[in-house]
Amino acid sequence: MAAPHHDPAHQLVPAAEPEALRAALPPPLREEFDSEWESVLEDAKKSHTLVDIHALLNKWQHTAAMEFRDPGSYQRMLDKAARILEQGGNPHGGTLEDMLAHIERRRRAL
């Protein structure tokens, strides 16, 4: 029997479970996760749905993986978003039309 294939990149992604995510996050982000977790739990009690819990776990799973690959990237993303909002746009970004054209070119290349 062949040994199972282990993808090293997959090990960078923690399980979408609160305990695993907390363990993978640096302390400042862990505090933010805890705050959001408490809020979404309260909302789930009232709405009787798990949709927001799943969305939160998905968001933080991606954030934890991003932070593992590039520590500090989450804060840099927030800082960039704040600058874009302050400036009323991204001077280094393309237009929506450019992005749609780029997507179409990639679709045709498939």
Side-chain angles (χ1 to χ4, degrees), residues 10-88:
H10 183 71
Q11 295 172 356
L12 304 179
V13 181
E17 297 290 332
E19 186 175 26
L21 292 171
R22 287 189 87 255
L25 293 168
L29 292 182
R30 193 175 305 139
E31 290 175 20
E32 190 174 335
F33 170 82
D34 287 345
S35 175
E36 290 183 24
W37 176 248
E38 291 301 320
S39 176
V40 82
L41 284 179
E42 288 303 314
D43 291 346
K45 288 178 191 177
K46 295 172 189 163
S47 68
H48 301 284
T49 179
L50 299 176
V51 172
D52 291 340
I53 290 175
H54 292 298
L56 178 85
L57 294 173
N58 183 48
K59 168 195 165 184
W60 282 101
Q61 185 180 39
H62 288 283
T63 302
M66 180 174 71
E67 280 295 308
F68 184 82
R69 282 187 224 105
D70 184 14
S73 58
Y74 182 72
Q75 187 59 51
R76 288 191 302 276
M77 177 188 66
L78 294 177
D79 294 345
K80 182 177 181 180
R83 282 192 308 276
I84 289 169
L85 288 173
E86 270 179 22
Q87 297 169 357

